[in-house]
Amino acid sequence: MSHVEEFLTAEEESDIVNAIVEAENNTSGEIRVHIEASSKIDHFSRAQQLFHFLKMDNTKEGNGVLLYVAVDDRKFVIYGGEGIDRAVPKGFWDTTKDVIASHFKKGNFKKGIVEGILMAGKELQTHFPWDQDDTNELKDAISKG
């Protein structure tokens, strides 16, 4: 079994997907999680690649958020779409990154991801509130590489 498959249990993955659904209930923003073993390029660039590969740059308002985790590298990135970059102040994701990092340092990976997702959802709600015409534009499932 690979490190990616061992990183989270099936129950933990289900909890993460449920957090995505909960977070997206109050925002038109779209949240995805991608987990892979490592990256041959810098992690921010890899998150950018995956953001495009997962078609997260095709959302109506450009308000997708990717939480990318490279398990073996012990790195993660929160990457937001252009709509988010235009709407939020500089340093917008710093608090969320700090919370995730503090849980990861303790080995609480699921808790870090879930809290990060829920925090992202609250932040997105401020700038991209849910509207009755909103549709779920992206899969909520965790993607793996």
Side-chain angles (χ1 to χ4, degrees):
M1 191 179 273
S2 77
H3 293 150
V4 173
E5 294 302 320
E6 295 171 344
F7 184 63
L8 299 166
T9 67
E11 183 179 337
E12 289 173 327
E13 287 188 17
S14 179
D15 290 346
I16 289 168
V17 171
N18 290 336
I20 292 170
V21 171
E22 180 181 336
E24 290 181 355
N25 276 339
N26 298 311
T27 178
S28 63
E30 297 287 334
I31 302 170
R32 296 282 320 256
V33 173
H34 182 85
I35 301 170
E36 63 185 15
S38 63
S39 177
K40 291 178 174 49
I41 61 175
D42 75 272
H43 297 92
F44 185 82
S45 295
R46 181 63 178 145
Q48 280 181 306
Q49 282 182 340
L50 288 163
F51 193 85
H52 178 70
F53 177 76
L54 296 170
K55 301 190 182 329
M56 295 185 71
D57 49 358
N58 292 342
T59 60
K60 184 171 60 175
E61 295 184 68
N63 58 358
V65 175
L66 175 64
L67 175 52
Y68 166 72
V69 180
V71 177
D72 293 345
D73 299 341
R74 303 177 66 86
K75 300 282 186 182
F76 74 93
V77 174
I78 301 173
Y79 186 84
E82 290 179 6
I84 293 172
D85 288 344
R86 284 192 301 269
V88 302
K90 191 168 177 63
F92 180 71
W93 295 112
D94 291 345
T95 304
T96 305
K97 286 179 189 175
D98 291 346
V99 167
I100 295 170
S102 71
H103 287 298
F104 277 22
K105 284 177 186 168
K106 298 174 193 167
N108 297 330
F109 302 112
K110 180 205 90 169
K111 188 170 184 177
I113 293 170
V114 166
E115 284 194 28
I117 289 166
L118 295 176
M119 289 178 74
K122 285 182 181 175
E123 295 290 347
L124 288 170
Q125 182 181 2
T126 302
H127 299 280
F128 302 96
W130 182 83
D131 181 287
Q132 64 184 7
D133 296 329
D134 285 337
T135 59
N136 192 9
E137 298 177 78
L138 301 172
K139 294 179 185 177
D140 297 329
I142 297 170
S143 61
K144 297 178 183 176

Short mmCIF file of all heavy atoms in Angstrom, two decimals, residues 13 21 40-41 43 45 59-60 62 82 105-106 111 116 132 139:
data_model
loop_
_atom_site.label_atom_id
_atom_site.label_comp_id
_atom_site.label_asym_id
_atom_site.label_seq_id
_atom_site.Cartn_x
_atom_site.Cartn_y
_atom_site.Cartn_z
N GLU A 13 -11.39 9.87 5.13
CA GLU A 13 -11.69 10.46 3.82
C GLU A 13 -13.16 10.85 3.73
O GLU A 13 -13.49 11.91 3.21
CB GLU A 13 -11.31 9.49 2.70
CG GLU A 13 -9.83 9.36 2.51
CD GLU A 13 -9.45 8.55 1.28
OE1 GLU A 13 -10.31 8.33 0.40
OE2 GLU A 13 -8.27 8.14 1.21
N VAL A 21 -18.71 19.20 1.70
CA VAL A 21 -20.14 19.42 1.45
C VAL A 21 -20.69 20.48 2.41
O VAL A 21 -21.39 21.40 2.00
CB VAL A 21 -20.93 18.08 1.58
CG1 VAL A 21 -22.43 18.33 1.56
CG2 VAL A 21 -20.51 17.11 0.48
N LYS A 40 7.85 16.62 -8.04
CA LYS A 40 9.18 16.83 -8.61
C LYS A 40 9.47 18.32 -8.82
O LYS A 40 10.59 18.72 -9.08
CB LYS A 40 9.31 16.08 -9.92
CG LYS A 40 9.34 14.57 -9.75
CD LYS A 40 9.43 13.88 -11.09
CE LYS A 40 9.59 12.39 -11.02
NZ LYS A 40 8.72 11.66 -10.18
N ILE A 41 8.43 19.15 -8.73
CA ILE A 41 8.57 20.60 -8.86
C ILE A 41 8.16 21.25 -7.55
O ILE A 41 7.66 20.57 -6.65
CB ILE A 41 7.74 21.15 -10.05
CG1 ILE A 41 6.25 20.87 -9.85
CG2 ILE A 41 8.24 20.55 -11.37
CD1 ILE A 41 5.35 21.48 -10.93
N HIS A 43 6.07 22.96 -4.71
CA HIS A 43 4.71 22.57 -4.34
C HIS A 43 3.66 23.58 -4.80
O HIS A 43 2.55 23.19 -5.16
CB HIS A 43 4.65 22.29 -2.84
CG HIS A 43 5.52 21.13 -2.49
ND1 HIS A 43 6.82 21.30 -2.09
CD2 HIS A 43 5.31 19.80 -2.53
CE1 HIS A 43 7.37 20.11 -1.88
NE2 HIS A 43 6.48 19.19 -2.15
N SER A 45 3.82 25.42 -7.53
CA SER A 45 3.65 25.18 -8.97
C SER A 45 2.85 23.91 -9.22
O SER A 45 2.03 23.86 -10.13
CB SER A 45 5.00 25.09 -9.67
OG SER A 45 5.68 26.32 -9.60
N THR A 59 -14.55 27.35 -12.92
CA THR A 59 -15.75 27.71 -12.16
C THR A 59 -16.26 29.08 -12.62
O THR A 59 -15.48 29.92 -13.06
CB THR A 59 -15.48 27.75 -10.64
OG1 THR A 59 -14.46 28.70 -10.36
CG2 THR A 59 -15.09 26.37 -10.12
N LYS A 60 -17.55 29.25 -12.52
CA LYS A 60 -18.20 30.47 -13.01
C LYS A 60 -17.59 31.75 -12.44
O LYS A 60 -17.37 32.71 -13.15
CB LYS A 60 -19.71 30.38 -12.69
CG LYS A 60 -20.53 31.52 -13.23
CD LYS A 60 -22.02 31.26 -13.05
CE LYS A 60 -22.39 31.10 -11.60
NZ LYS A 60 -23.83 30.96 -11.36
N GLY A 62 -14.61 31.85 -10.67
CA GLY A 62 -13.18 31.72 -10.40
C GLY A 62 -12.90 31.56 -8.91
O GLY A 62 -11.88 32.04 -8.41
N GLU A 82 -8.58 32.81 -9.50
CA GLU A 82 -8.44 34.24 -9.78
C GLU A 82 -9.53 35.08 -9.14
O GLU A 82 -9.28 36.19 -8.69
CB GLU A 82 -8.43 34.48 -11.29
CG GLU A 82 -7.19 33.97 -11.97
CD GLU A 82 -7.22 34.21 -13.47
OE1 GLU A 82 -8.15 34.87 -13.97
OE2 GLU A 82 -6.30 33.72 -14.14
N LYS A 105 1.60 19.04 12.29
CA LYS A 105 2.79 18.84 13.11
C LYS A 105 2.55 17.80 14.20
O LYS A 105 3.46 17.12 14.63
CB LYS A 105 3.24 20.16 13.73
CG LYS A 105 3.93 21.08 12.75
CD LYS A 105 4.30 22.40 13.37
CE LYS A 105 4.86 23.33 12.31
NZ LYS A 105 4.98 24.70 12.76
N LYS A 106 1.31 17.69 14.64
CA LYS A 106 0.95 16.72 15.68
C LYS A 106 0.52 15.38 15.08
O LYS A 106 0.13 14.47 15.81
CB LYS A 106 -0.20 17.27 16.53
CG LYS A 106 0.14 18.54 17.28
CD LYS A 106 -1.10 19.08 17.97
CE LYS A 106 -0.88 20.50 18.45
NZ LYS A 106 -2.14 21.15 18.84
N LYS A 111 -7.88 15.99 10.94
CA LYS A 111 -8.39 17.16 11.67
C LYS A 111 -7.90 18.45 11.03
O LYS A 111 -8.67 19.40 10.87
CB LYS A 111 -7.98 17.10 13.14
CG LYS A 111 -8.64 18.17 13.98
CD LYS A 111 -8.42 17.96 15.45
CE LYS A 111 -9.20 19.01 16.23
NZ LYS A 111 -9.08 18.83 17.66
N GLY A 116 -9.30 23.10 8.06
CA GLY A 116 -8.93 23.99 6.96
C GLY A 116 -10.07 24.18 5.97
O GLY A 116 -10.35 25.29 5.52
N GLN A 132 -29.41 30.83 -4.43
CA GLN A 132 -30.32 29.73 -4.78
C GLN A 132 -30.08 29.16 -6.17
O GLN A 132 -30.48 28.04 -6.48
CB GLN A 132 -31.77 30.17 -4.64
CG GLN A 132 -32.19 31.27 -5.60
CD GLN A 132 -33.61 31.72 -5.34
OE1 GLN A 132 -34.23 31.29 -4.36
NE2 GLN A 132 -34.12 32.58 -6.19
N LYS A 139 -16.55 18.02 -8.37
CA LYS A 139 -16.69 16.87 -7.49
C LYS A 139 -16.19 17.21 -6.09
O LYS A 139 -15.25 17.99 -5.93
CB LYS A 139 -15.87 15.69 -8.02
CG LYS A 139 -16.33 15.14 -9.32
CD LYS A 139 -15.41 14.00 -9.72
CE LYS A 139 -15.78 13.49 -11.10
NZ LYS A 139 -14.86 12.43 -11.53
#
